[in-house]
Amino acid sequence: MKGLMQDGPLVLTNLFDRAEKLFPEKEIVTATAVGIERESYGQWAERTRRLGGVLDDLGISADGRVATFAWNTARHLELYFAAPCSGRVLHTLNIRLFPEQITYIVNHAEDEVIFVDKSLLGLLWPLVDTFTTVRHIVVMDDGRGELPTDTGGRLLHDYEALLATANPVEWNITDENQAASMCYTSGTTGNPKGVVYSHRSTWLHTMAGMMADGLGVGERDTILPVVPMFHANAWGLAHIGVASGAKLVMPGPGLSPKAIVDLIESERVTVAAGVPTIWMGVLNEIDGRDVSSLRGIPCGGSAVPKHLSEAYREKIGIPILQAWGMTETSPLASVAKVKSTMLSLPEDEQADYRASIGIPALGVQARIADQVTGEEVPWDGETSGELQVAGPWVASEYYNDSRSPESFTADGWLKTGDVATIDSEGFMRIVDRTKDVVKSGGEWISSVEHENEIMAHPAVAEAAVIGVKHPKWSERPLACVVVKPGETLTREDVLAFLDGRVAKWWLPDDVVFIDEIPKTSVGKFSKRDLRDQFADYVLPTA
């Protein structure tokens, strides 16, 4: 027997239409180099429909890839919806990738047009001749930057001029499995891999983010997505903002701690999301500032140190909300909210749960597989293995990439590359990345746990732990530490601080002090760069 319910497609035009009809007066605020710009959802919707007409006028094919090279702005949000709602595929380009990686993904995706912020044109323009399918470059004037003096005969379109002459279009998307957007991984090993999201997957992911046990965003919220729109769909917050009718505050290029706190204070932001390195910088900036409007600080991208989350709880009354995901999971896959049955636990134990990556979001399944046998291991909080996930907004393969078979199991689950445990309550903890775990004498040492403990030291700004060659144990941990300005620290200080916090045999064989931990294009610690830097490092003998 079948149900007798209507079967409408889950497409992004649903989200757009809702914002246009129900929340036309709500604001989208953008911080630019020349000041604050404000527009209503009604104005945004009208411009977005015109942008659909621009894509027609430019002759972009029916499912053509529409690339963006831009900051978090209202214009970028227009592209987020105009491309998929007109049947095209949005392709956000990560501005922090290496030039050769940008060339690779533009050509691999077969982008037909690139919309670029004028302030970023200097990064993109030297690569234009390497793009094989791009027919148009459209410049969005964000108040900074210069046009090239010699365009080589190429026509640079002006975004506002195109909008002024375009006719608004009506959306007509009926296939929920049609591609809506694509993102590429950050390419820490090999070329970046393309992930293609459907209208359906994005629609369902948006609903998961709005759920109370997801990010819990609603119409009354004011969202500040510090996480970039050019990576992993801004964690879904751009779609969530439109779907819910929440006020959106776009930070543009101003990502300094002061600029972020200024926006939180002036716009009365309730939900602000970014990676841990952002919140490390913001922590001291909030002293003496009114950030009382904040009710949630979603954080992901890399492990949130327990001490950082607790520092926010002690200072402003709310801990950081850790979530986990990856480009391949759209990205929201789990959220670390303490269950109601755990609220009687001591505060420190609750903090331990908040420092995990939480439980799987509704719609996501998770399991831990033995690295050798591939068999699922028990949820005992102790037995570790590779974290694998499945769900309606989890990738099933990479776009036109021969590496897909090695990244997915025979039954279709995504191999995340994270080494993790799951306890009996379903809380997951990342032990390490498979490529970052230190393999010492056949046993694994977690670099993540090391780093969290070292960064709990009051004199430490940043810390990363890598494995370096050892003649007896194959690898041993080396701690790379950045000391806070004005502080002093020795190797012995670090080792003494770790004593009792990690297993004795886990203790680093040495500690080196460096000026800065190298970062990847999405703000994570780049262990690969550190391993290259210390490839020939000789550990001290006992």
Side-chain angles (χ1 to χ4, degrees):
M1 180 178 180
K2 291 186 177 181
L4 302 176
M5 306 303 290
Q6 297 179 17
D7 188 20
L10 306 181
V11 292
L12 294 187
T13 54
N14 302 156
L15 311 187
F16 177 92
D17 292 345
R18 188 170 193 266
E20 182 181 42
K21 293 173 181 176
L22 300 182
F23 311 111
E25 301 304 317
K26 295 298 291 290
E27 268 192 324
I28 303 170
V29 178
T30 301
T32 75
V34 293
I36 296 292
E37 294 179 353
R38 300 178 186 273
E39 68 180 2
S40 68
Y41 270 117
Q43 293 168 321
W44 168 82
E46 196 273 338
R47 286 171 58 87
T48 302
R49 288 190 182 276
R50 285 187 177 275
L51 183 53
V54 168
L55 297 176
D56 290 342
D57 294 342
L58 292 176
I60 307 304
S61 14
D63 65 348
R65 264 66 83 197
V66 176
T68 64
F69 199 75
W71 302 106
N72 290 16
T73 67
R75 289 191 182 101
H76 205 166
L77 189 68
E78 290 162 7
L79 285 154
Y80 251 63
F81 281 83
C85 289
S86 67
R88 281 87 175 190
V89 182
L90 176 77
H91 177 204
T92 52
L93 301 174
N94 187 333
I95 68 173
R96 298 193 178 111
L97 290 179
F98 294 117
E100 60 270 21
Q101 291 177 319
I102 293 173
T103 294
Y104 171 81
I105 65 176
V106 168
N107 293 337
H108 187 261
E110 298 179 290
D111 294 331
E112 296 182 23
V113 58
I114 302 178
F115 288 80
V116 54
D117 278 335
K118 189 177 177 182
S119 63
L120 295 171
L121 189 58
L123 289 177
L124 185 74
W125 191 254
L127 306 178
V128 167
D129 288 339
T130 69
F131 302 152
T132 58
T133 57
V134 174
R135 294 185 285 113
H136 304 283
I137 302 290
V138 181
V139 179
M140 301 179 288
D141 190 350
D142 58 345
R144 187 172 292 168
E146 301 292 335
L147 297 178
T149 54
D150 180 9
T151 63
R154 290 180 178 271
L155 175 63
L156 286 176
H157 302 279
D158 178 77
Y159 185 87
E160 294 299 331
L162 292 177
L163 275 187
T165 58
N167 292 316
V169 299
E170 295 296 323
W171 313 130
N172 185 31
I173 304 298
T174 58
D175 181 3
E176 64 181 21
N177 292 307
Q178 182 172 330
S181 61
M182 63 194 307
C183 294
Y184 279 70
T185 62
S186 50
T188 52
T189 56
N191 283 322
K193 292 173 281 192
V195 179
V196 181
Y197 312 101
S198 67
H199 281 258
R200 180 179 186 269
S201 72
T202 308
W203 202 101
L204 292 171
H205 180 264
T206 300
M207 297 305 105
M210 292 171 65
M211 288 179 60
D213 285 330
L215 301 183
V217 176
E219 182 271 334
R220 297 182 182 183
D221 279 308
T222 297
I223 309 171
L224 173 62
V226 183
V227 54
M229 294 174 74
F230 56 71
H231 176 70
N233 293 320
W235 296 352
L237 288 167
H239 296 108
I240 289 169
V242 170
S244 65
K247 177 181 174 180
L248 276 165
V249 179
M250 301 298 197
L255 301 178
S256 69
K258 182 180 185 305
I260 292 169
V261 177
D262 284 347
L263 286 174
I264 293 172
E265 190 172 40
S266 63
E267 300 298 329
R268 307 307 294 155
V269 169
T270 61
V271 177
V275 297
T277 49
I278 289 289
W279 301 122
M280 288 176 187
V282 166
L283 183 61
N284 291 330
E285 185 64 35
I286 59 179
D287 290 337
R289 305 291 294 273
D290 181 7
V291 295
S292 59
S293 59
L294 276 177
R295 66 162 191 83
I297 310 173
C299 188
S302 58
V304 179
K306 177 181 173 182
H307 80 276
L308 179 64
S309 179
E310 288 302 282
Y312 272 87
R313 185 177 68 83
E314 293 166 6
K315 185 169 284 192
I316 65 174
I318 55 171
I320 285 176
L321 174 63
Q322 180 154 210
W324 173 84
M326 49 202 304
T327 302
E328 293 90 333
T329 64
S330 294
L332 184 66
S334 69
V335 182
K337 289 189 175 180
V338 177
K339 295 180 181 180
S340 61
T341 52
M342 299 173 173
L343 294 178
S344 60
L345 294 174
E347 192 60 52
D348 192 58
E349 289 186 38
Q350 292 187 45
D352 285 337
Y353 280 105
R354 289 193 291 266
S356 74
I357 62 169
I359 64 175
L362 177 63
V364 175
Q365 296 174 277
R367 68 188 183 193
I368 304 294
D370 184 275
Q371 294 260 73
V372 177
T373 67
E375 297 293 320
E376 186 172 359
V377 303
W379 288 21
D380 58 11
E382 298 292 335
T383 310
S384 65
E386 183 177 48
L387 176 60
Q388 299 176 354
V389 294
W393 56 84
V394 178
S396 61
E397 62 180 291
Y398 293 112
Y399 176 67
N400 193 22
D401 199 307
S402 61
R403 292 170 290 181
S404 286
E406 67 194 48
S407 301
F408 297 87
T409 65
D411 57 350
W413 289 53
L414 170 70
K415 298 178 180 179
T416 67
D418 282 324
V419 180
T421 64
I422 307 179
D423 67 19
S424 59
E425 293 278 1
F427 281 81
M428 304 183 291
R429 298 179 187 276
I430 301 295
V431 176
D432 220 327
R433 292 290 290 170
T434 53
K435 61 181 180 291
D436 292 335
V437 69
V438 180
K439 302 175 182 68
S440 178
E443 298 291 341
W444 287 358
I445 297 175
S446 168
S447 66
V448 171
E449 188 168 337
H450 261 106
E451 290 156 6
N452 288 342
E453 294 296 344
I454 295 172
M455 285 190 286
H457 193 292
V460 172
E462 295 178 332
V465 172
I466 58 172
V468 296
K469 293 178 183 178
H470 190 278
K472 179 178 180 180
W473 302 113
S474 178
E475 281 187 338
R476 287 296 298 164
L478 172 70
C480 306
V481 176
V482 179
V483 180
K484 290 180 180 178
E487 300 284 352
T488 57
L489 206 59
T490 66
R491 171 184 185 272
E492 289 68 30
D493 292 334
V494 174
L495 295 178
F497 185 75
L498 285 177
D499 191 16
R501 290 173 171 261
V502 299
K504 202 81 172 176
W505 66 276
W506 276 28
L507 287 172
D509 280 28
D510 204 6
V511 179
V512 295
F513 296 95
I514 57 180
D515 294 334
E516 182 182 7
I517 305 293
K519 310 294 192 303
T520 69
S521 62
V522 293
K524 299 179 184 180
F525 291 162
S526 178
K527 302 288 186 71
R528 182 178 67 174
D529 287 341
L530 281 177
R531 284 192 290 267
D532 289 344
Q533 182 178 342
F534 292 99
D536 299 321
Y537 190 81
V538 179
L539 291 168
T541 56

